[in-house]
């Protein structure tokens, strides 16, 4: 058969009906609505595919802006200025002082002690939270009876007001409390909340117990998504229960472990109510925390610029620790 010339092939293509994609490309630019497409694309970029979502989230966005973002911005401004409270309607200059406030507070013994206490709190609270939450969630996941009761029992302290639960701990750990009565001659002297070496560990254990129910539910949800066939296969291959737990359960709950550690770090940075109500930061600053120190310097002593500097150091430190922990835990 004689080969077709280029002109014949071109003519043959012209006789065939255009493909749908080609027809779409050849559509005339004057179709209705073409002029409005660039504006629509711009609006979609700003508003998204569902502008109604912005309307529904607007109240919470305004709440975050007013309650968090604006005060945080004002706090940053105060940290770099010589700021103090004045009577309403009185206008005084607040000169820029650079890093003077930071240098001042970092050189103070109370600030160093507060951040040191926070380090002790984290070293006790975070590992204890992860270990107990995972262990109890594993036990609950394996339980067949009373599972619902134990879930509620572990969660009740989390939703109970701190004032009520702290009153119970005061009753247990004061000088003549129930714990000392049980220990008798083994009780520490001075007592738990008056002992410089024991007061911060007691607060760390209390916060662990208070928050534990929430973290148990997180782990329990993750454990229930682990296929039982994986455990059965590992046991069939001769692995013991501990080996199966390490090879199957721990990798499966690793994302939740990362979340638990991240939330524990954030909670530690915010620790205020417990030392404030239990000890007021004592004895001799042994339970002082940065958040409590911010309150003392800003409200009680009337030094909001120093308090803002401490708060900014605290936020920066928590962000750095949380970022490092996340990278270590989530790396392949």
């Amino acid at each position: 058969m004689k080969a077709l010339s280029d002109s014949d092939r071109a003519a043959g293509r012209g006789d065939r009906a255009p493909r749908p994609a080609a027809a779409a490309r050849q559509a005339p630019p004057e179709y209705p609505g073409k002029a409005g497409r660039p504006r629509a694309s711009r609006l979609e970029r700003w508003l998204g595919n569902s502008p109604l979502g912005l309307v529904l989230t607007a109240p919470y966005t305004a709440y975050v802006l007013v309650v968090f973002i604006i005060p945080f911005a004002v706090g940053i401004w105060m940290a770099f200025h010589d700021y103090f409270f004045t009577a309403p309607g009185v206008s005084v200059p607040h000169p820029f002082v650079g890093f003077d406030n930071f240098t001042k507070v970092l050189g103070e013994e109370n600030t160093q002690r507060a951040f040191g206490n926070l380090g002790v709190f984290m070293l006790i609270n975070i590992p204890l939270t992860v270990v107990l939450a995972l262990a109890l969630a594993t036990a609950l996941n394996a339980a067949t009876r009373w599972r619902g009761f134990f879930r509620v029992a572990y969660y009740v302290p989390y939703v109970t007001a701190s004032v009520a639960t702290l009153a119970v701990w005061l009753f247990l750990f004061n000088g003549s409390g129930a714990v000392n009565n049980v220990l008798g001659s083994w009780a520490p002297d001075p007592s738990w909340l008056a002992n410089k070496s024991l007061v911060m560990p007691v607060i760390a254990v209390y916060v662990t117990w208070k928050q534990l129910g929430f973290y148990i539910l997180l782990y329990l949800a993750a454990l229930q998504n682990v296929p039982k066939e994986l455990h059965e296969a590992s046991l069939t291959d001769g692995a013991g229960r501990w080996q199966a737990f390490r090879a199957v359960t721990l990798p499966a709950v690793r994302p939740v472990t990362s979340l638990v550690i991240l939330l524990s770090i954030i909670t530690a940075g915010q620790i205020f109510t417990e030392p404030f109500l239990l000890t007021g930061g004592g004895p001799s600053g042994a339970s002082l925390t940065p958040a409590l120190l911010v309150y003392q310097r800003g409200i009680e002593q009337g030094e909001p610029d120093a308090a803002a500097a401490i708060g900014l150091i605290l936020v920066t430190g928590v962000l750095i620790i949380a970022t490092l922990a996340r990278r270590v835990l989530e790396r392949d």
Side-chain angles (χ1 to χ4, degrees):
M1 181 181 293
K2 185 178 180 180
L4 294 175
S5 63
D6 293 340
S7 60
D8 293 336
R9 285 197 297 269
R13 283 198 302 269
D15 294 338
R16 294 196 299 268
R19 295 179 181 178
R25 287 196 298 270
Q26 297 171 5
E30 293 83 7
Y31 68 90
K34 177 69 176 176
R37 284 185 62 81
R39 179 174 297 179
S41 299
R42 246 181 258 116
L43 287 175
E44 285 181 1
R45 266 199 312 269
W46 284 97
L47 302 180
N49 295 327
S50 302
L52 181 61
L54 287 179
V55 177
L56 296 176
T57 58
Y60 183 74
T61 303
Y63 169 78
V64 171
L65 182 66
V66 173
V67 177
F68 293 101
I69 304 300
I70 294 177
F72 183 68
V74 173
I76 294 175
W77 182 88
M78 290 167 55
F80 291 94
H81 290 77
D82 181 13
Y83 189 87
F84 50 91
F85 295 124
T86 59
V90 177
S91 179
V92 296
H94 300 291
F96 178 77
V97 295
F99 290 94
D100 288 354
N101 289 325
F102 296 91
T103 305
K104 174 185 175 183
V105 297
L106 287 174
E108 294 176 351
E109 185 180 356
N110 274 349
T111 305
Q112 299 169 7
R113 184 185 293 115
F115 281 96
N117 293 339
L118 182 61
V120 172
F121 178 89
M122 286 183 171
L123 289 175
I124 297 173
N125 171 256
I126 296 175
L128 195 61
T129 297
V130 173
V131 171
L132 288 180
L134 180 56
L136 292 173
T138 304
L140 281 177
N141 191 49
T144 56
R145 301 182 62 184
W146 304 99
R147 181 184 299 179
F149 169 78
F150 285 113
R151 287 182 186 176
V152 174
Y154 287 128
Y155 198 71
V156 165
Y158 179 74
V159 296
T160 305
S162 295
V163 175
T165 54
L166 284 170
V168 176
W169 277 68
L170 279 172
F171 168 75
L172 292 174
F173 289 97
N174 61 26
S176 58
V179 174
N180 283 352
N181 289 334
V182 171
L183 294 177
S185 60
W186 294 88
D189 186 27
S191 189
W192 304 89
L193 298 178
N195 193 310
K196 294 181 181 180
S197 302
L198 296 177
V199 62
M200 210 62 204
V202 169
I203 293 176
V205 171
Y206 165 80
V207 175
T208 302
W209 168 79
K210 181 83 166 56
Q211 305 286 333
L212 199 60
F214 174 70
Y215 299 125
I216 288 174
L217 291 185
L218 292 180
Y219 272 122
L220 193 58
L223 289 171
Q224 291 178 348
N225 289 326
V226 179
K228 294 183 178 180
E229 292 80 6
L230 295 178
H231 285 280
E232 294 172 356
S234 62
L235 294 175
T236 303
D237 291 339
R241 292 191 176 276
W242 171 244
Q243 293 175 324
F245 179 80
R246 287 197 318 171
V248 177
T249 303
L250 286 182
V253 301
R254 187 176 180 181
V256 175
T257 300
S258 177
L259 177 61
V260 169
I261 292 177
L262 180 63
L263 293 177
S264 298
I265 293 171
I266 296 173
T267 300
Q270 298 174 342
I271 190 76
F272 167 81
T273 305
E274 292 77 8
F276 178 73
L277 293 179
L278 282 174
T279 62
S284 301
S287 61
L288 186 65
T289 61
L292 179 56
L293 184 60
V294 168
Y295 168 78
Q296 291 178 347
R297 295 295 294 271
I299 304 301
E300 295 181 349
Q301 301 176 19
E303 298 181 84
D305 49 359
I310 297 171
L312 193 56
I313 294 170
L314 174 62
V315 170
T316 305
V318 168
L319 287 176
I320 292 173
I321 295 173
T323 302
L324 292 176
R326 183 176 178 182
R327 289 190 176 183
V328 170
L329 291 168
E330 296 184 2
R331 67 183 179 184
D332 293 330

